[in-house]
Amino acid sequence: MEASEVSALHNSMRKYGIPGDLKPEDPTNPTGPWRVVDSAGQDVTDATLAAAAAAEHRRPERGFVITP
């Protein structure tokens, strides 16, 4: 994941309660690639990206339909 995508993913993770920490692959180069790691330090980037994409595209499960 590129540095330009980090902010959007971080917002989605907070909004939908997706766990993980965003960290640059190289701590001395924050403009380079980033990864999502879990509490054990394992790379969970692919799973987190998939969860965020699924949450963003999920339709509301209940609500009202108002017709004209």
Side-chain angles (χ1 to χ4, degrees), residues 2 4 7-8 10 12 14 17-18 21 23-24 35-37 39 42 46 48 50 54-55 58 62 64 66-67:
E2 296 301 317
S4 61
S7 179
H10 181 257
S12 292
R14 281 190 332 182
I18 301 169
D21 293 318
K23 297 186 177 191
R35 290 279 169 220
V36 181
V37 295
S39 59
Q42 299 293 319
D46 292 336
T48 302
R58 189 178 308 142
R62 27 182 202 162
F64 296 96
I66 300 172
T67 58

Side-chain angles (χ1 to χ4, degrees), residues 11-18 51-52 55-58:
N11 290 338
S12 292
M13 290 170 69
R14 281 190 332 182
K15 182 177 180 180
Y16 298 112
I18 301 169
E56 288 290 338
H57 296 328
R58 189 178 308 142

